Amino acid sequence: MPATSSSVGSGAAGAAIFADSDSRKYRYFEPKGQRATHYEDMTVDVQPDPERYLIQNWIISFADGKGAYVKQNTAAQSSNWHAFRAPDQEWERTHYQRQSKIETMVQSVINNARKSGAPKTFDKAWVKILQGQLGAWKHAEFGLGTSLMQAQRYGYTQMINNATLTNSSYKLRLAQDITLYLAEIGMDLPGWDDELGKKTWLEDNNWQGTREAVETIMGATDYLEQYFAINIVFEPLVGEVFRSGFLMQIAAANHDFITPAVISAAEADYERNLANTIDLMHILANDEKYGAANKKLFQGWIKKHGALADKAAIGLQPIWSMPHSKPVAFADVRAKSEERIGQILGELGLKR
């Protein structure tokens, strides 16, 4: 392993050998591939670390003496927290570009649909479902986004924080998209109730399991537990069940071709977030020194959040009986979600 300024006790030029110390690239890390990507150049070693080049220890510390970033913010352990590279390679510029494109697409779909009078053709029972059930789901997305926003502050490296924060941004964007979408089509539908979604989220028994699962994640104090619980457990067992298994498949049968377009970006978001999470958890689960302990920790998180997610999913079952046209059965959607989480856990060497 190359020497660092910390290990030699000096920050003087030539005191340590880095990845590119013999070139003019000024890069102080080993890239994942043969060459460093733009993403790596923008994220790796952006934040200080006394174990990697910061010889004077933390520049800023809290009143209790802890530095700006603390490994103990998670029960998981790693031999090298800096090994993670997000597969989606998203950083600030690319993230803003992608979010902008999605917002442009969503707004275009809504505007064109309203111009053609599409909301007025929705099945009447489906209109009620959008007000109450989709209106309730935006609160779940907002809660998960808020949880990830908190989690990203405690990650030990910029690469982990970047992936967590972009995940948060996607969730908050979807909550906003749903809010604006419902408000806009509501202007075309007589008797529309903007408050029904909030009331459903807070009072409808069908949603209380989902509330409990989301609020438990929000209350977790371990940032990796939050990240793990959302993408490895909650999303395949609850998120995809409602978005893909209900909204995406049943909307068209009830004369609604707008909602699937608005929600579709969230499915692509999740695939990116899932890939990032699996990559990070795979590194931790296969760590030479701490892998066994991390797997035991992960199994505990699966048991805790899996039970809550199961309760949430089963609680949502009555929603499948609400539309007049029911092309997909809840049992089939549920079976698919079980297969999905089995595949995800299998990649990490974990089980339900």
Side-chain angles (χ1 to χ4, degrees):
M1 182 177 180
T4 66
S5 56
S6 302
S7 62
V8 299
S10 172
I17 303 300
F18 299 105
D20 278 326
S21 59
D22 58 348
S23 76
R24 298 180 61 85
K25 294 180 181 178
Y26 305 108
R27 186 173 63 235
Y28 304 102
F29 63 88
E30 292 288 350
K32 188 173 183 179
Q34 290 186 341
R35 296 181 179 180
T37 63
H38 198 176
Y39 155 77
E40 288 179 306
D41 284 335
M42 299 303 297
T43 58
V44 180
D45 287 325
V46 168
Q47 71 191 58
D49 184 347
E51 296 180 6
R52 293 167 68 93
Y53 331 125
L54 194 64
I55 62 174
Q56 70 271 49
N57 209 335
W58 292 107
I59 300 173
I60 299 175
S61 61
F62 293 101
D64 59 4
K66 291 182 178 179
Y69 297 89
V70 182
K71 293 179 180 178
Q72 288 70 32
N73 284 328
T74 177
Q77 301 177 80
S78 175
S79 300
N80 179 15
W81 283 108
H82 296 267
F84 172 67
R85 306 284 192 273
D88 70 348
Q89 297 204 10
E90 191 149 301
W91 58 284
E92 185 176 359
R93 179 179 178 182
T94 55
H95 180 66
Y96 285 134
Q97 289 174 333
R98 185 166 187 271
Q99 290 282 59
S100 178
K101 290 177 181 178
I102 291 172
E103 285 302 290
T104 300
M105 179 275 291
V106 169
Q107 196 57 55
S108 177
V109 167
I110 296 173
N111 289 342
N112 290 333
R114 290 189 64 204
K115 285 179 182 179
S116 66
K120 296 177 182 178
T121 68
F122 291 176
D123 181 270
K124 290 184 178 180
W126 186 253
V127 170
K128 197 75 171 179
I129 289 169
L130 292 180
Q131 292 177 82
Q133 312 310 315
L134 179 55
W137 182 254
K138 72 180 180 183
H139 294 283
E141 295 286 352
F142 180 80
L144 297 175
T146 302
S147 178
L148 289 163
M149 185 190 298
Q150 174 198 16
Q152 69 85 28
R153 168 59 187 86
Y154 298 99
Y156 193 70
T157 73
Q158 184 71 13
M159 293 84 75
I160 294 174
N161 292 344
N162 238 46
T164 311
L165 187 56
T166 56
N167 196 160
S168 170
S169 179
Y170 288 137
K171 288 293 183 187
L172 296 177
R173 188 213 71 235
L174 178 58
Q176 173 182 275
D177 286 345
I178 294 172
T179 302
L180 295 175
Y181 167 55
L182 294 179
E184 291 196 44
I185 64 172
M187 292 189 287
D188 301 329
L189 298 169
W192 184 269
D193 184 359
D194 282 323
E195 296 297 318
L196 186 57
K198 180 179 179 181
K199 184 177 180 181
T200 301
W201 175 252
L202 294 175
E203 301 176 12
D204 192 320
N205 287 334
N206 295 341
W207 285 94
Q208 299 318 297
T210 304
R211 273 191 65 196
E212 183 181 4
V214 171
E215 290 172 10
T216 299
I217 292 172
M218 294 177 70
T221 56
D222 187 312
Y223 73 92
L224 277 187
E225 178 184 350
Q226 293 175 304
Y227 193 45
F228 184 99
I230 290 171
N231 291 316
I232 302 298
V233 182
F234 183 88
E235 279 290 286
L237 290 178
V238 186
E240 286 191 316
V241 167
F242 184 74
R243 291 192 309 265
S244 299
F246 184 72
L247 294 173
M248 298 285 288
Q249 296 194 51
I250 297 179
N254 290 275
H255 313 295
D256 175 8
F257 297 91
I258 314 172
T259 301
V262 174
I263 299 298
S264 63
E267 302 309 283
D269 292 341
Y270 176 50
E271 291 300 335
R272 298 166 71 91
N273 296 327
L274 177 62
N276 291 343
T277 310
I278 288 178
D279 202 77
L280 174 58
M281 300 307 166
H282 187 273
I283 291 172
L284 296 174
N286 292 278
D287 189 286
E288 291 184 4
K289 185 176 181 180
Y290 302 110
N294 287 335
K295 281 188 176 181
K296 184 177 180 181
L297 175 68
F298 296 163
Q299 288 291 168
W301 291 345
I302 294 168
K303 182 178 180 181
K304 172 185 174 182
H305 295 283
L308 292 171
D310 286 336
K311 179 181 176 182
I314 293 171
L316 296 178
Q317 182 174 1
I319 296 174
W320 268 253
S321 65
M322 293 179 181
H324 285 147
S325 181
K326 311 172 182 64
V328 180
F330 174 81
D332 295 333
V333 174
R334 176 77 169 150
K336 188 175 180 179
S337 76
E338 288 290 346
E339 181 181 354
R340 170 77 149 158
I341 194 172
Q343 293 171 343
I344 292 171
L345 296 179
E347 291 190 50
L348 298 173
L350 303 172
K351 58 184 180 181
R352 283 269 268 163

